Amino acid sequence: MQLTEQATTLSSSSAPPSMSLRHVVESQQFTVPLLMELFDRARLMERIVARGGTLDYQNRILASLFYQPSTRTRFSFEAAMHRLGGRVLSTEHARAFSSEIESEQVEDSIRIIGSYSDVIVIRHHEEGGARRAAAVSPVPVINAGDGDGGQHPTQALLDLFTIYHERPIEGLSVAFIGELDRGRTVRSLAYLLAKFDRVKIYFVSPPEMQMKPDILQYLDRHNVKYELESSIDRVVGEVDVVYQTRIRPDRVSNVASRMRYAIDSSVLGKLKSNAMILHPLPRTVELDKTVDSDPRAFYFKQAANGLCVRMALLTMLLDR
Amino acid sequence: MQLTEQATTLSSSSAPPSMSLRHVVESQQFTVPLLMELFDRARLMERIVARGGTLDYQNRILASLFYQPSTRTRFSFEAAMHRLGGRVLSTEHARAFSSEIESEQVEDSIRIIGSYSDVIVIRHHEEGGARRAAAVSPVPVINAGDGDGGQHPTQALLDLFTIYHERPIEGLSVAFIGELDRGRTVRSLAYLLAKFDRVKIYFVSPPEMQMKPDILQYLDRHNVKYELESSIDRVVGEVDVVYQTRIRPDRVSNVASRMRYAIDSSVLGKLKSNAMILHPLPRTVELDKTVDSDPRAFYFKQAANGLCVRMALLTMLLDR
Amino acid sequence: MQLTEQATTLSSSSAPPSMSLRHVVESQQFTVPLLMELFDRARLMERIVARGGTLDYQNRILASLFYQPSTRTRFSFEAAMHRLGGRVLSTEHARAFSSEIESEQVEDSIRIIGSYSDVIVIRHHEEGGARRAAAVSPVPVINAGDGDGGQHPTQALLDLFTIYHERPIEGLSVAFIGELDRGRTVRSLAYLLAKFDRVKIYFVSPPEMQMKPDILQYLDRHNVKYELESSIDRVVGEVDVVYQTRIRPDRVSNVASRMRYAIDSSVLGKLKSNAMILHPLPRTVELDKTVDSDPRAFYFKQAANGLCVRMALLTMLLDR
């Protein structure tokens, strides 16, 4: 255990559920007690960062293995490791840089990089890439996004933390808006929300981009109420949280069509006064910049929360 | 304040003009007192590096955000942060790695990266990119080059430091040679030189690549003498400093034409015995390798000075 | 000298042959006593890493200058520097990122980067690139692979260390298999093996890809026995070490032809019971995954050894 005094107290006050966390591949892995431990640790990390402190992980190495580039997510993990006092190996775009190595070699890469590092953060262009990595890795693996229809569990953790910071998750109503079939952040957060009682989810998207059946079946099995919608107007006044996502131009090249699912000042007028607007960023036209100054806009706070949530998660994996 | 004893003494001996330095976007921001403070600090950094020392910035993070690649400039900033004891997040080529994110999103990127880091160094492919970043950033932003016709203020700072190390700037005569209309290093240094008395500038270039009117008008307003020239021979014997720059092959594909503005052994024979030859590097044919062994060649010393000048600048921004 | 107590004892017990090691360009530079010193240090590094320790190089900077990408080799060097407590500047693909700078400028880059760092690791796409870098560098240069027909000396050092860990090198018989004419790892290891008595080498490859005459002449001059073979079956039962390498698809597009030189379960049946199988990785079809669980498979251990061998080498260069 390498945390400070407060952290030691924190974790010794309860059984260590993090002992069961070896790799982070999908958000379903997280039980509610594990989430609560993570969020407690994340709050501690917030305080440590705020007072300019650091932790004692100076001999630990995080390897960032991004087969697809994502400067923000990568920086978030790497900053988290640095704020813990640790060290970083980094590749921005491993796929572009290893064309001669076929993709089935991810297992070999992980075995080798696992002998140089203490934790591996992987973003892979194929669904299941992180699971394959975890299956052979000698050190913990964190999925930082796999494929279009995969998951992005740490995004979901920071999303949930952002909400939890403001209100209880039990009884929450959430509208997911945008291109949901290829939305790995939405998929991961839906799994997490299903852990809590009396949650209600609205999936709002063009019909051809609706949430895939696997998630809906999961929600059914866990008795989570949800509705499929194609109109933002019918939903937006009902919910506590609007979770907006991009519709990529290659799917809907017509900007006007994408604008039907946009959040702008007219939508703001219909929102509850205490609603929260989230977005995993980056954004295009679906989230107007006029929203930025609205007190219900939480997306920059959400992105900033990536730091303390990932610090907390790294400590849970490295302290094992 | 995180500097050593000497540094504390240094800065407590005068009012802290660095208090006014929040972002570094353009070289005009620097007053002569601020330049002198920077250069004093840079000399202190030189001594600290020479004795293998380090400073106390181990909890501070610099984010290198290069939309255009520049290994040397990036390494110079990152080495500076490391020599201060700090930490680095780095992207080599953010533009290539984020094709789906339109360029107008630099503001969002900066807001997010600013929540993970303590200072951001940005090179942007568009003129004004650094200014846009500074306008929204929660942490100091340093312009490491913006667009073809923008600025590169830290290059100008190390250029001036290199000259100042050898002689007074007052009364200096300088010839800028090469492709001046797209020369952001020349533009930034011209602004700085205009702060000092009795400076004389010669702009030597093919007529179609002469310095743009905005700089000439600025010099007029500040009563700085300058001449526009198209012949290197008429100027080179007159000046204290030759500041050579590249003429890019895409502008003048004919090597012979570019060679009319080259520094080689025949030009060396016409230079003053105590002249200084500077070049921001990298070079092509316009600066012959035979010049390297001439005692008037200062361009490698100039590049090396990037380290201590950038260390000094970082302390001024981080100590605020 | 920055090593721990044991290390100090280690190196004070003998004359310091590492004093002769300024740059690492080619494997022939290493004498047997120097190799033994390196391997002793590597074993010490293994123990330090195993107990989570670190060393005292926190003010030293390694610059990774990869003109060709190689995530594994780069990570291995960077992890080594981090485990020493040091710091890293890194470029993944300098060639792609500096198209406008002609390749003959590597000397300028090295001069500049050498003023920002304490040791430079270079991978260059041209044979001789590392030698050119070493010729002008103010700090030690390590060749991490140059050209197709150049060398990769640190790979050979870790290869030899992996063998030496298990058995004496004197009297060893080794089969090199694959695309040998462009195999810089094989070239570098052949030079090293020639330093030891009674070594026997088999070069096994398609006739058009056999080992080049320069290596064969070197072996002749040093009285090293070797045979050229085109059949894996005639050799594989004779040798202590099988050193397998890739045959790149662009040379032999027919997979069946490449499979003639593959190691699979049928080849395993013919190997000596205590043979070692090495491969510099990454692999394609020439090394079947069924081999991975065989106790004679040493290639992941070999890759992992890169860490301690490179740590040891860095200390020898940085302690000068």
Side-chain angles (χ1 to χ4, degrees):
Chain A
M1 184 65 182
Q2 304 186 50
L3 287 177
T4 62
E5 205 178 341
Q6 302 100 299
T8 308
T9 310
L10 171 75
S11 70
S12 64
S13 68
S14 62
S18 63
M19 295 306 282
S20 64
L21 200 63
R22 167 77 179 156
H23 304 288
V24 176
V25 173
E26 54 187 23
S27 60
Q28 305 94 293
Q29 293 177 258
F30 287 82
T31 60
V32 171
L34 197 53
L35 288 168
M36 293 302 113
E37 181 191 345
L38 178 74
F39 293 170
D40 282 347
R41 283 190 187 228
R43 287 217 170 100
L44 173 63
M45 297 302 150
E46 258 184 339
R47 293 195 296 273
I48 290 170
V49 170
R51 66 169 191 256
T54 189
L55 285 149
D56 194 25
Y57 294 84
Q58 72 265 21
N59 296 342
R60 313 303 287 275
I61 298 177
L62 176 149
S64 275
L65 189 60
F66 278 61
Y67 286 85
Q68 285 183 320
S70 171
T71 301
R72 294 157 209 230
T73 300
R74 187 170 59 82
F75 274 18
S76 172
F77 273 109
E78 296 182 359
M81 192 64 183
H82 283 305
R83 295 279 186 220
L84 292 175
R87 294 158 176 283
V88 173
L89 306 174
S90 188
T91 182
E92 289 196 72
H93 199 174
R95 194 183 179 192
F97 293 163
S98 53
S99 57
E100 57 180 308
I101 305 160
E102 286 107 79
S103 76
E104 58 264 37
Q105 302 299 324
V106 69
E107 283 87 355
D108 284 5
S109 294
I110 291 292
R111 278 195 189 93
I112 296 172
I113 294 169
S115 68
Y116 304 150
S117 61
D118 299 298
V119 57
I120 296 173
V121 176
I122 185 171
R123 170 163 293 192
H124 203 267
H125 48 286
E126 293 173 351
E127 203 178 318
R131 184 181 303 280
R132 286 166 53 199
V136 300
S137 178
V139 299
V141 165
I142 302 175
N143 181 3
D146 63 321
D148 276 335
Q151 287 213 27
H152 191 354
T154 63
Q155 175 72 43
L157 293 171
L158 72 91
D159 294 341
L160 194 71
F161 178 75
T162 304
I163 301 168
Y164 180 73
H165 215 278
E166 301 293 320
R167 61 190 64 184
I169 310 297
E170 287 80 9
L172 199 75
S173 66
V174 179
F176 290 108
I177 303 174
E179 183 186 352
L180 303 180
D181 56 342
R182 298 204 308 195
R184 58 190 174 197
T185 64
V186 171
R187 295 172 59 81
S188 288
L189 184 51
Y191 281 121
L192 281 192
L193 289 171
K195 310 274 184 181
F196 293 84
D197 291 338
R198 290 173 291 112
V199 165
K200 171 79 182 277
I201 301 178
Y202 298 85
F203 295 110
V204 185
S205 79
E208 70 275 20
M209 300 183 193
Q210 260 298 356
M211 180 52 74
K212 289 183 179 169
D214 62 337
I215 297 288
L216 303 181
Q217 288 158 10
Y218 183 92
L219 297 177
D220 284 335
R221 280 201 307 278
H222 290 77
N223 300 311
V224 180
K225 289 188 186 156
Y226 63 87
E227 292 183 24
L228 306 182
E229 266 292 352
S230 63
S231 162
I232 190 170
D233 286 340
R234 279 200 294 272
V235 166
V236 84
E238 304 294 319
V239 295
D240 304 312
V241 173
V242 170
Y243 194 100
Q244 177 70 319
T245 68
R246 268 187 304 158
I247 298 181
R248 276 171 281 190
D250 61 337
R251 300 268 320 258
V252 182
S253 56
N254 186 320
V255 172
S257 300
R258 276 190 281 156
M259 291 306 289
R260 285 188 53 224
Y261 294 90
I263 309 279
D264 55 18
S265 52
S266 83
V267 172
L268 284 182
K270 299 167 193 154
L271 274 184
K272 283 187 188 176
S273 63
N274 66 342
M276 301 173 73
I277 303 167
L278 300 182
H279 190 301
L281 303 175
R283 62 176 155 185
T284 58
V285 296
E286 78 283 349
L287 180 58
D288 197 82
K289 281 178 192 272
T290 59
V291 180
D292 295 2
S293 56
D294 193 283
R296 293 166 292 186
F298 275 85
Y299 33 91
F300 289 120
K301 177 65 180 160
Q302 177 189 5
N305 282 338
L307 184 68
C308 63
V309 170
R310 289 179 171 122
M311 287 175 73
L313 187 65
L314 287 171
T315 66
M316 289 169 74
L317 295 171
L318 291 169
D319 290 352
R320 292 182 75 246
Chain B
M1 183 66 180
Q2 302 186 52
L3 286 177
T4 62
E5 205 178 342
Q6 303 100 300
T8 308
T9 310
L10 171 76
S11 71
S12 64
S13 68
S14 62
S18 63
M19 295 306 282
S20 63
L21 201 62
R22 167 77 179 157
H23 303 290
V24 176
V25 173
E26 54 187 25
S27 60
Q28 305 95 295
Q29 292 177 259
F30 287 82
T31 61
V32 171
L34 197 52
L35 288 168
M36 294 302 113
E37 180 190 345
L38 179 73
F39 293 169
D40 283 346
R41 283 190 186 229
R43 287 215 170 102
L44 173 63
M45 297 301 150
E46 259 183 338
R47 292 195 297 273
I48 290 170
V49 171
R51 66 168 191 258
T54 189
L55 284 149
D56 194 24
Y57 293 85
Q58 73 265 20
N59 296 342
R60 312 303 287 275
I61 298 176
L62 176 149
S64 275
L65 190 58
F66 278 61
Y67 287 85
Q68 285 182 319
S70 171
T71 302
R72 295 159 208 230
T73 299
R74 186 169 60 82
F75 274 18
S76 171
F77 273 109
E78 295 182 0
M81 192 64 182
H82 283 306
R83 294 281 187 219
L84 292 175
R87 293 157 177 284
V88 172
L89 306 173
S90 187
T91 182
E92 289 195 72
H93 199 174
R95 194 184 178 191
F97 293 163
S98 53
S99 56
E100 58 180 307
I101 304 161
E102 286 106 81
S103 77
E104 58 265 34
Q105 300 300 325
V106 69
E107 284 86 357
D108 283 4
S109 294
I110 292 291
R111 277 195 189 93
I112 296 173
I113 294 169
S115 68
Y116 304 149
S117 61
D118 299 299
V119 58
I120 296 173
V121 176
I122 186 171
R123 169 163 293 194
H124 203 266
H125 48 285
E126 293 173 351
E127 203 177 319
R131 184 180 304 279
R132 286 167 51 201
V136 300
S137 178
V139 299
V141 166
I142 302 176
N143 181 3
D146 64 321
D148 277 336
Q151 287 213 28
H152 191 354
T154 63
Q155 176 73 44
L157 294 171
L158 71 92
D159 294 341
L160 194 71
F161 178 76
T162 304
I163 301 168
Y164 180 72
H165 215 279
E166 301 293 322
R167 62 190 61 185
I169 309 297
E170 287 80 9
L172 199 76
S173 65
V174 179
F176 289 108
I177 303 174
E179 183 186 352
L180 303 181
D181 57 341
R182 298 203 308 194
R184 58 191 174 196
T185 63
V186 171
R187 295 172 60 81
S188 287
L189 184 52
Y191 281 120
L192 280 192
L193 289 170
K195 309 275 184 181
F196 293 83
D197 290 339
R198 291 174 293 112
V199 166
K200 172 78 182 274
I201 300 178
Y202 299 85
F203 294 109
V204 186
S205 81
E208 71 276 19
M209 299 182 193
Q210 258 299 355
M211 180 52 75
K212 288 182 181 169
D214 62 336
I215 297 287
L216 303 181
Q217 288 158 10
Y218 183 91
L219 296 177
D220 285 335
R221 281 201 306 279
H222 290 77
N223 299 311
V224 180
K225 289 187 186 160
Y226 64 86
E227 291 184 24
L228 306 183
E229 266 291 351
S230 63
S231 162
I232 190 170
D233 286 339
R234 280 200 294 272
V235 165
V236 84
E238 304 294 319
V239 295
D240 302 312
V241 173
V242 170
Y243 193 99
Q244 178 71 320
T245 68
R246 270 186 303 157
I247 298 181
R248 277 171 281 190
D250 60 338
R251 300 268 323 257
V252 182
S253 56
N254 185 321
V255 171
S257 301
R258 275 189 283 157
M259 291 305 291
R260 286 188 52 223
Y261 295 89
I263 310 280
D264 54 18
S265 53
S266 83
V267 172
L268 283 183
K270 297 167 194 157
L271 274 185
K272 284 187 187 175
S273 63
N274 66 343
M276 300 175 74
I277 304 168
L278 300 182
H279 190 302
L281 303 175
R283 61 176 155 184
T284 57
V285 296
E286 78 284 347
L287 180 58
D288 196 83
K289 281 178 192 272
T290 59
V291 179
D292 294 1
S293 56
D294 192 285
R296 293 167 292 185
F298 275 83
Y299 33 91
F300 288 119
K301 176 65 180 158
Q302 178 189 4
N305 281 337
L307 184 68
C308 62
V309 170
R310 289 180 171 120
M311 287 176 73
L313 187 64
L314 287 170
T315 66
M316 289 169 75
L317 295 171
L318 291 169
D319 290 352
R320 292 181 75 248
Chain C
M1 183 64 180
Q2 304 188 52
L3 286 178
T4 62
E5 205 178 342
Q6 305 98 300
T8 307
T9 311
L10 172 77
S11 71
S12 63
S13 67
S14 61
S18 64
M19 295 306 283
S20 64
L21 201 63
R22 167 76 179 156
H23 303 290
V24 177
V25 173
E26 55 187 23
S27 60
Q28 305 95 295
Q29 293 177 259
F30 287 82
T31 61
V32 171
L34 197 52
L35 288 169
M36 293 302 114
E37 181 190 346
L38 178 73
F39 293 169
D40 283 348
R41 283 191 186 228
R43 287 216 171 102
L44 173 62
M45 297 302 150
E46 258 184 338
R47 292 195 296 272
I48 290 170
V49 170
R51 66 169 191 256
T54 189
L55 284 148
D56 194 25
Y57 294 84
Q58 72 265 21
N59 296 343
R60 313 303 286 276
I61 298 176
L62 176 149
S64 276
L65 191 59
F66 277 62
Y67 286 85
Q68 285 183 319
S70 171
T71 302
R72 294 160 209 228
T73 299
R74 185 168 62 82
F75 274 18
S76 172
F77 273 110
E78 296 182 359
M81 192 64 182
H82 283 306
R83 294 282 187 218
L84 292 175
R87 291 157 177 284
V88 172
L89 306 174
S90 188
T91 182
E92 291 195 71
H93 199 173
R95 194 183 179 192
F97 292 162
S98 53
S99 56
E100 57 179 309
I101 304 161
E102 286 106 80
S103 77
E104 58 266 34
Q105 302 299 324
V106 69
E107 283 87 354
D108 284 5
S109 293
I110 291 292
R111 277 195 190 94
I112 296 172
I113 293 169
S115 68
Y116 303 149
S117 61
D118 299 299
V119 58
I120 296 172
V121 176
I122 185 171
R123 169 163 292 192
H124 203 267
H125 48 286
E126 293 173 352
E127 202 177 317
R131 183 180 304 280
R132 286 167 51 199
V136 300
S137 178
V139 299
V141 165
I142 302 176
N143 181 2
D146 63 323
D148 276 336
Q151 286 212 26
H152 192 353
T154 63
Q155 176 72 43
L157 293 171
L158 72 91
D159 294 341
L160 194 71
F161 178 76
T162 304
I163 301 169
Y164 180 73
H165 215 277
E166 300 293 320
R167 62 190 63 185
I169 310 298
E170 287 80 9
L172 199 75
S173 67
V174 179
F176 289 109
I177 303 174
E179 183 186 353
L180 303 181
D181 56 340
R182 297 203 309 194
R184 58 191 175 197
T185 62
V186 171
R187 295 171 59 82
S188 288
L189 184 52
Y191 280 122
L192 280 192
L193 289 171
K195 310 273 184 182
F196 292 84
D197 290 338
R198 291 174 292 112
V199 166
K200 172 78 182 276
I201 301 178
Y202 298 86
F203 295 110
V204 185
S205 80
E208 71 276 19
M209 299 183 193
Q210 259 298 357
M211 181 51 76
K212 288 184 181 168
D214 62 337
I215 297 287
L216 303 181
Q217 288 159 10
Y218 183 91
L219 297 177
D220 285 335
R221 282 202 305 278
H222 290 77
N223 299 312
V224 179
K225 289 188 185 156
Y226 63 87
E227 292 183 25
L228 306 183
E229 266 292 351
S230 63
S231 163
I232 190 170
D233 286 340
R234 279 201 294 273
V235 165
V236 84
E238 304 293 320
V239 296
D240 303 312
V241 173
V242 170
Y243 193 99
Q244 178 70 319
T245 70
R246 268 186 305 156
I247 298 181
R248 277 171 280 189
D250 61 336
R251 300 267 324 256
V252 182
S253 56
N254 186 321
V255 171
S257 301
R258 276 190 281 155
M259 292 305 290
R260 286 190 52 224
Y261 294 89
I263 310 279
D264 54 18
S265 53
S266 83
V267 172
L268 284 183
K270 297 167 192 156
L271 274 185
K272 284 188 187 174
S273 63
N274 66 343
M276 301 174 74
I277 303 168
L278 300 182
H279 190 303
L281 301 177
R283 61 175 154 185
T284 57
V285 295
E286 78 284 348
L287 180 59
D288 197 82
K289 281 177 192 272
T290 58
V291 180
D292 295 1
S293 56
D294 193 283
R296 293 166 294 185
F298 275 85
Y299 33 90
F300 289 120
K301 176 64 180 160
Q302 177 190 7
N305 281 337
L307 184 67
C308 63
V309 170
R310 288 178 171 122
M311 287 175 74
L313 187 65
L314 288 170
T315 65
M316 288 169 74
L317 295 170
L318 291 169
D319 290 352
R320 292 182 74 248

